[in-house]
Amino acid sequence: MTLGYNTLVVLAGCAMLGLAAGTVGAFALLRGRALLADAVGHAALPGVVLAALIVAAFGQDPRALPPLLAGAAVA
């Protein structure tokens, strides 16, 4: 069975992401910062969503980085 080029690219990307996330997660756990990072990430999510909705309501690109960062910071 041969795998197509797209499948190999996706598999390689998933493997690299898993390696990077596992490494960062291990260091965060060892330093005792795992729960803090999780809490900050979950606290910022509503601000990102509200910023995207507000920007989209004004007819702009809801994926623009500056408004999303501002929404995360406000939240």
Side-chain angles (χ1 to χ4, degrees), residues 12-75:
C14 288
M16 287 188 288
L17 179 64
L19 179 69
T23 304
V24 170
F27 281 120
L29 180 68
L30 289 174
R31 293 198 52 161
R33 305 257 195 278
L35 293 177
L36 178 66
D38 195 39
V40 169
H42 282 93
L45 184 63
V48 171
V49 171
L50 286 175
L53 291 174
I54 291 170
V55 169
F58 284 114
Q60 301 297 320
D61 182 21
R63 295 175 295 164
L65 187 60
L68 297 181
L69 287 175
V74 168

